[in-house]
Amino acid sequence: MCIRDRSISLSDLFIEAVDELLPNSGVEVASPRRSSERGSHVTLRHDKGYQLSSALRTAGVITDFRAPDLIRYGFAPVYNTHGQAVESVERTQRIIEDGDYRSLPDPAGEVT
């Protein structure tokens, strides 16, 4: 499998896991769903994206935050496994279900 094929496989699996594990959670896939229209990352939208991204980093999931509400998950096809792609969604699910991320400061330094 070439690197691009592995990248597509990882990000497609991630999106499938988001659809399965995070329905009605306030999470929306913001990246194009067609693999030909995206690179080796998937961006999710959530109204508390900054706080959720902060909680994910604490839980060991490295993401990038993009204002105002985007969380970007990057996949390194040479290093990341399919299990890690699913585990990152499972950790996201646990954090959302727990709800503690909502008490973290927002980008303006205010707790919402």
Side-chain angles (χ1 to χ4, degrees):
M1 177 181 290
C2 77
I3 291 175
R4 176 64 180 147
D5 290 342
R6 185 165 167 86
S7 169
I8 290 168
S9 179
L10 286 164
S11 58
D12 282 348
L13 178 62
F14 178 87
I15 290 171
E16 290 171 17
V18 167
D19 289 343
E20 180 181 328
L21 299 175
L22 299 175
N24 307 312
S25 65
V27 169
E28 172 190 348
V29 176
S31 291
R33 287 182 173 265
R34 292 178 51 163
S35 60
S36 62
E37 297 175 0
R38 67 172 187 270
S40 288
H41 68 273
V42 176
T43 301
L44 302 181
R45 176 173 283 117
H46 189 276
D47 67 340
K48 302 290 184 192
Y50 183 83
Q51 293 95 328
L52 185 54
S53 182
S54 295
L56 284 162
R57 278 191 298 280
T58 299
V61 180
I62 301 169
T63 63
D64 293 326
F65 172 74
R66 302 285 192 253
D69 58 0
L70 301 174
I71 306 165
R72 195 180 91 158
Y73 297 72
F75 300 98
V78 174
Y79 303 106
N80 292 128
T81 67
H82 289 83
Q84 289 171 322
V86 173
E87 175 64 22
S88 65
V89 178
E90 291 171 344
R91 288 185 190 188
T92 303
Q93 178 188 33
R94 287 191 297 269
I95 289 167
I96 289 173
E97 288 175 353
D98 179 54
D100 288 344
Y101 71 96
R102 293 186 173 277
S103 65
L104 297 173
D106 72 10
E110 301 170 7
V111 174
T112 56

